Amino acid sequence: MFSRRTVTRVAATLGGVALIGAALAGCSSSGGSGSTTISLLAAGNDPASTSFAKDLSKAFHKADPSITVKVETRPGGTDGDNLVETRLSTGDMNDVFLYNSGSLFQALRPDSQLQPLTDESWAKGPTEDFKNSVSTDKGLYGAPTGTTFDGGIMYNKKVYEKLGLTVPKTWSEFISNSEKIKAAGIAPIIQSYGDTWTSQLFVLGDFANVSAQDPNWAKD
């Protein structure tokens, strides 16, 4: 997704190498003739996010040496979300930025703050499910990066054996097991909530089952 920074500058979210390339036409130049520098805002400041953004920068510069991609990091969690939204609303966003799809994408007011990418040549590649998560009725605003990942719940086999429990297959069975574990004086559920996104894991980790029971759940 590209943000409308000024008439001559374009910013993107969920940008990969192809997305950065799509942004170049709207970026201002710096340095000598034929030399361009654009900025990429990483998805956080942790080692994995920083390394990923730098890898994108290096790969793109290798593919097109006339363009240098300068990487900037940002905080994770709510602080990072607030920074992205503030920069977009004030017209001070980086040329390209990495961000989440789905509900957080909608909070960016894409139709007024992002540059549509619907007509880019690579836009036919992503799956329909992904495109739906980064689109509005007016256009496509993002490209995929990285890989997908799964979430779930680990359980203590020794505790389950001691209390005669079986692995739950429904939410009600999970709650019932948790209540029995609590009654035995053992913490039934442990989660750090150290980062705000971890609070979504119960929902995201079980989304396949939720979607199977209610195919319209995400849309609704």
Side-chain angles (χ1 to χ4, degrees), residues 10-185:
V10 177
T13 184
L14 286 166
V17 172
L19 188 54
I20 296 174
L24 298 183
C27 295
S28 62
S29 297
S30 62
S33 176
S35 175
T36 300
T37 297
I38 63 176
S39 61
L40 167 63
L41 184 64
N45 54 12
D46 58 281
S49 297
T50 301
S51 177
F52 180 68
K54 288 183 177 180
D55 285 345
L56 284 179
S57 171
K58 292 177 182 178
F60 187 81
H61 183 67
K62 182 177 180 180
D64 192 336
S66 68
I67 301 164
T68 299
V69 183
K70 183 179 179 181
V71 173
E72 180 184 355
T73 61
R74 64 173 175 83
T78 303
D79 289 342
D81 294 338
N82 291 339
L83 184 146
V84 168
E85 292 178 21
T86 299
R87 286 193 177 184
L88 283 172
S89 63
T90 59
D92 195 34
M93 176 48 76
N94 301 66
D95 296 303
V96 186
F97 65 102
L98 304 173
Y99 202 64
N100 293 324
S101 57
S103 59
L104 289 178
F105 152 72
Q106 296 294 342
L108 300 182
R109 292 182 291 159
D111 290 331
S112 61
Q113 297 191 138
L114 303 179
Q115 179 70 22
L117 306 171
T118 314
D119 296 330
E120 297 298 329
S121 60
W122 52 264
K124 297 179 180 179
T127 64
E128 289 301 315
D129 285 340
F130 174 79
K131 286 192 283 189
N132 288 338
S133 72
V134 293
S135 298
T136 69
D137 293 338
K138 295 185 178 181
L140 172 75
Y141 294 97
T145 62
T147 59
T148 58
F149 64 92
D150 298 321
I153 302 169
M154 296 183 288
Y155 71 100
N156 190 314
K157 290 184 177 181
K158 291 183 179 180
V159 171
Y160 266 56
E161 291 173 0
K162 179 181 178 180
L163 301 179
L165 304 176
T166 57
V167 176
K169 296 182 179 179
T170 65
W171 183 258
S172 60
E173 290 176 0
F174 170 70
I175 295 300
S176 177
N177 282 357
S178 299
E179 290 174 343
K180 292 175 182 177
I181 295 172
K182 182 179 180 180

